[in-house]
Amino acid sequence: MVRKTLMVGLAGISMLAAVPAMAQGIGHSLFMRGSIVDTGSNGTVVCIGKADGAEVGQKLEVYRVVTHPGPPKGVAPTYHRQLVGHVTIDHIFDDHFAHVSVADGTPAKHDIVELRKN
């Protein structure tokens, strides 16, 4: 009975993941939103866009996750966010992505950008 319920649940999740529009929304909402996705020759791109309330000229704080290893007896490591700089939104591509310029600090790919709504 439990196995049958588990199989039905997995099948439902698989069908949702198979729909491209739905998968893009889930990926943006759960995994990418608020991260620096590229720092290449075309500049820095963040996963924050119109859908998040972003506007050209907004200044975003950039954080890096720092890990503190736990003791050797199996206690989980602890984490904290360290402020590493600020970026300013130059151009919003669409609902999900924007081009930014580094205002200060050393933002890197996979750092977290935070849009503060007042």
Side-chain angles (χ1 to χ4, degrees):
M1 181 68 165
V2 172
R3 184 176 176 166
K4 185 175 181 180
T5 304
L6 181 61
M7 293 302 257
V8 169
L10 287 173
I13 291 171
S14 298
M15 284 191 293
L16 284 176
V19 179
M22 189 70 132
Q24 181 183 12
I26 290 170
H28 174 73
S29 298
L30 298 178
F31 304 115
M32 290 174 50
R33 181 187 297 155
S35 63
I36 295 178
V37 296
D38 190 19
T39 56
S41 60
N42 292 331
T44 303
V45 177
V46 296
C47 188
I48 288 184
K50 292 177 192 173
D52 303 301
E55 295 177 6
V56 172
Q58 286 178 317
K59 194 169 187 178
L60 311 174
E61 295 177 342
V62 182
Y63 294 93
R64 186 165 298 140
V65 176
V66 178
T67 307
H68 301 282
K73 297 203 179 212
V75 176
T78 57
Y79 304 91
H80 82 274
R81 296 175 346 146
Q82 178 182 25
L83 182 66
V84 294
H86 296 87
V87 295
T88 304
I89 298 176
D90 297 329
H91 172 73
I92 299 172
F93 295 112
D94 58 18
D95 285 345
H96 304 292
F97 298 100
H99 181 267
V100 298
S101 57
V102 177
D104 62 72
T106 57
K109 190 172 181 177
H110 305 299
D111 283 349
I112 300 167
V113 291
E114 196 164 276
L115 176 64
R116 299 232 182 231
K117 295 181 182 178
N118 294 333

